[in-house]
Amino acid sequence: MIILGIDTSCDDTSAAVLTDGRTVLSNIINSQIKLHHVYGGVVPELASREHIRNIAPVVDEALSKAGIGMDRLDGIAVTIGPGLIGSLLVGLYYAKGLAMVRKIPLVGVNHLEGHVLSALLEDTQPDFPFVALTVSGGHTSLYHVKGLGQYVPMGQTLDDAAGEAYDKVAKILGLGYPGGAVIEALALSGDKNKIHFPRAQISPDSLDFSFSGLKTAVSMFINKWNESEEKQAEVTKEDIAACFQEAVIDVLAQKFLKAAERVNVNTLVLAGGVACNKALRQRLALETDARGMRLCYPRPFYCTDNGAMIALAGHYRIQRGERMDLADDVRSRYPIEEIMGSR
Ligand code: KG4
Ligand code: ZN
């Protein structure tokens, strides 16, 4: 089967062509980072206008790079949520148009399912069941993945997502948007033990996360630090980045491992934009090695938003005979447990 996957859930316009649910023939991503950088975050109105400009050329490029004509497509998979409504609408209506005119089967995909399955795009694949941690700019969630389409939520953030915390701290430090990679680079030359920022524990048994207290603590620290030359001589920007990152990693690693232990699962899958973070990967590799567990994650290209993971999730749905009703709409909120067929 040859599937075209389209994702316009946030600020990337992406289209990919996937064969047999395994081989990525193309994965084109048009990033809007430059557009939103100066605002310190994604401006929804600008994002949807940019998607409108980019969607046709991005899909054309994905097909031509794959060497696949529209007539050879067995299906189109498009993200229908969660995400920014104006952005999602562009992808969905473009996909609906293509599917209708060309009479190609169409399926709507939950963006989170795409992230959860993204590690299956790699040669060394995780076996089911596994526990997945999706950490991105919009989500921080733990799932017990029992099989394809079977996702049991175990924990999620009660306020900010981990990537959002990176982006906000970067904004306060005047580093622009997005913040993850910049903070990670700064942290490399910082001392992660200089300041102890809070690690929120909701309750001893909870697998939920909270990053807003950490963000506030870092922000208050930076405000005082900005006003004191003495403090600036003592603590560098790099130290702040390293200590913030250490607090995020501590919490993510602790809950991720606890989740796997709770359901007695040996395979852990890390996904989403924050999964690009090498310090997070290294910590998890150490912790899983020590417990005889297996850690899987996709390459960075498949961690951040991409059409390939949507094509993959759509592949299985189309294979199962699912089809989207052309009257169906996008959903800004779309919890994974509401996916059709999820248990
Ligand atoms: O998955 P993604 O592309 O989009 C969403 O669905 O949100 O994730 C983007 C997020 C941003 O918040 C960005 O700062 C974060 O992922 N990110 C990182 C790194 N690279 C991207 N966070 C930490 N370390 C990184 N290296
Ligand atoms: Zn995403």
Side-chain angles (χ1 to χ4, degrees):
M1 276 210 312
I2 305 179
I3 306 292
L4 170 69
I6 297 176
D7 184 85
T8 60
S9 56
C10 190
D11 59 339
D12 292 316
T13 317
S14 180
V17 178
L18 182 80
T19 56
D20 307 326
R22 280 210 61 103
T23 313
V24 180
L25 297 182
S26 63
N27 186 37
I28 308 299
I29 302 172
N30 186 296
S31 165
Q32 301 180 9
I33 282 177
K34 281 200 187 119
L35 180 72
H36 302 287
H37 182 83
V38 287
Y39 301 100
V42 178
V43 183
E45 173 74 21
L46 295 181
S48 26
R49 282 167 193 259
E50 197 63 12
H51 283 307
I52 290 172
R53 251 191 292 275
N54 292 332
I55 185 77
V58 165
V59 168
D60 285 351
E61 194 181 340
L63 290 168
S64 73
K65 189 163 176 213
I68 295 291
M70 204 84 81
D71 52 326
R72 289 187 54 202
L73 290 179
D74 297 299
I76 301 176
V78 62
T79 303
I80 55 167
L84 300 171
I85 287 287
S87 293
L88 290 163
L89 281 171
V90 178
L92 175 62
Y93 280 83
Y94 193 81
K96 277 185 181 179
L98 280 185
M100 247 161 58
V101 172
R102 301 277 181 162
K103 299 194 176 19
I104 304 167
L106 175 68
V107 74
V109 169
N110 180 304
H111 183 80
L112 299 171
E113 184 180 30
H115 277 305
V116 166
L117 297 182
S118 58
L120 298 174
L121 291 165
E122 298 295 355
D123 289 340
T124 43
Q125 298 202 340
D127 299 314
F128 295 107
F130 58 79
V131 166
L133 172 65
T134 55
V135 257
S136 68
H139 311 278
T140 304
S141 307
L142 279 164
Y143 302 107
H144 181 194
V145 181
K146 295 180 172 179
L148 282 170
Q150 296 174 46
Y151 314 111
V152 181
M154 300 185 74
Q156 61 173 330
T157 182
L158 302 177
D159 40 59
D160 294 344
E164 199 177 351
Y166 267 97
D167 296 338
K168 285 181 179 168
V169 168
K171 190 176 177 183
I172 301 165
L173 285 171
L175 302 170
Y177 170 84
V182 195
I183 299 252
E184 179 180 11
L186 273 185
L188 282 176
S189 39
D191 175 357
K192 64 185 182 190
N193 298 311
K194 245 271 146 95
I195 324 145
H196 184 84
F197 289 125
R199 277 83 166 144
Q201 294 299 336
I202 317 295
S203 71
D205 286 340
S206 174
L207 292 173
D208 287 333
F209 303 88
S210 166
F211 291 105
S212 73
L214 169 63
K215 178 195 67 191
T216 308
V218 176
S219 157
M220 282 166 58
F221 182 90
I222 294 170
N223 287 342
K224 285 198 189 129
W225 178 80
N226 272 334
E227 285 164 8
S228 156
E229 279 180 21
E230 206 179 304
K231 263 206 167 337
Q232 285 173 36
E234 195 188 315
V235 178
T236 63
K237 209 182 237 193
E238 286 78 2
D239 295 335
I240 300 174
C243 296
F244 158 74
Q245 177 164 279
E246 191 65 4
V248 175
I249 292 177
D250 271 356
V251 176
L252 292 177
Q254 192 223 336
K255 306 233 168 187
F256 198 5
L257 293 160
K258 198 191 250 185
E261 280 160 5
R262 186 168 294 176
V263 289
N264 204 14
V265 154
N266 223 28
T267 305
L268 288 82
V269 171
L270 182 65
V274 183
C276 295
N277 191 287
K278 289 196 199 72
L280 174 62
R281 291 177 175 211
Q282 278 160 8
R283 166 76 73 84
L284 288 171
L286 273 176
E287 304 270 7
T288 48
D289 266 3
R291 289 166 176 80
M293 291 170 156
R294 186 167 171 236
L295 176 70
C296 299
Y297 44 74
R299 70 193 75 176
F301 194 40
Y302 299 142
C303 283
T304 47
D305 291 348
N306 65 88
M309 67 183 192
I310 302 304
L312 177 75
H315 169 93
Y316 295 112
R317 298 195 166 271
I318 286 176
Q319 202 173 44
R320 285 212 300 259
E322 280 180 35
R323 298 291 180 266
M324 188 180 185
D325 187 330
L326 283 182
D328 284 351
D329 214 340
V330 297
R331 301 177 58 172
S332 63
R333 262 183 49 77
Y334 187 6
I336 206 162
E337 58 273 31
E338 289 176 20
I339 297 176
M340 196 170 80
S342 186
R343 269 159 267 162

